[in-house]
Amino acid sequence: MVPFAGDETISRIVAEYSPMLLRLACTRLDSTADAEDAVQEAFLRLLTARPVFRDAGHEKAWLIRTTLHRAGDIRRAAEKRNVPLEEAAQAAAPEQAGELLSAVRALPEKYSAVIHLYYYEGYSIKEIAKLLGLPAPTAGTRLARGRERLRQMLKEED
């Protein structure tokens, strides 16, 4: 078991995982600021929960799952909010995201998370399954279905 030592551990975890978690959150959220909030809240949960990890893999999986859950919460909350017309017009201007990344963001979370981890982070299906707490065949199926949905979405845009 990896003990949760304190400031040194937090500093190491933040330095090591922040970029990857931010990229992951950006695939789920339309705003970089919201993605940063999701990552920050995942780290805050780490500080408050003080979980004990079996190893570095368990630590990474916990952070990925926590970030994905928080990004989903933020996305659902944003969908429910009523925004004044002026703000909606400003938000409609897309951030600098490519067509493919936009399509990945539009996928349901269970597909976009697997696609992001596979293509953007370079994990194998086995590793993704372990990180997300899924059976490997389920991770593979989600990857295949996510790819198919992406193909359909991109074909419709042409």
Side-chain angles (χ1 to χ4, degrees):
M1 300 247 175
V2 177
F4 200 88
D7 290 343
E8 305 84 35
T9 303
I10 293 297
S11 296
R12 178 193 57 80
I13 290 172
V14 169
E16 187 173 341
Y17 297 115
S18 288
M20 184 258 310
L21 294 174
L22 183 60
R23 287 190 305 268
L24 182 61
C26 280
T27 64
R28 293 304 311 141
L29 300 164
D30 296 327
S31 156
T32 303
D34 285 345
E36 289 169 346
D37 286 347
V39 174
Q40 183 176 0
E41 290 179 28
F43 287 134
L44 182 60
R45 179 151 166 80
L46 177 70
L47 281 170
T48 58
R50 301 259 180 193
V52 176
F53 301 112
R54 291 185 303 272
D55 54 27
H58 182 224
E59 174 182 270
K60 189 176 203 176
W62 187 93
L63 287 165
I64 287 172
R65 280 194 303 270
T66 303
T67 301
L68 284 173
H69 287 302
R70 189 61 199 127
D73 293 344
I74 291 170
R75 187 175 181 137
R76 282 186 293 281
E79 290 170 354
K80 292 179 182 177
R81 254 190 320 245
N82 289 329
V83 178
L85 187 58
E86 298 83 26
E87 289 180 33
Q90 290 174 347
E95 289 189 1
Q96 295 182 355
E99 182 180 340
L100 183 58
L101 184 55
S102 296
V104 171
R105 286 180 177 162
L107 289 171
E109 183 177 344
K110 65 183 183 179
Y111 299 130
S112 68
V114 173
I115 286 176
H116 175 82
L117 291 170
Y118 187 81
Y119 288 106
Y120 293 94
E121 301 298 332
Y123 287 105
S124 70
I125 290 175
K126 263 186 173 177
E127 291 169 325
I128 293 168
K130 187 175 180 181
L131 288 170
L132 298 179
L134 300 170
T138 302
T141 299
R142 288 183 181 181
L143 181 61
R145 289 180 181 166
R147 284 181 190 145
E148 184 56 37
R149 286 190 179 203
L150 272 177
R151 270 191 218 101
Q152 291 171 358
M153 290 168 64
L154 295 173
K155 191 181 284 186
E156 290 172 4
E157 290 179 9
D158 290 340

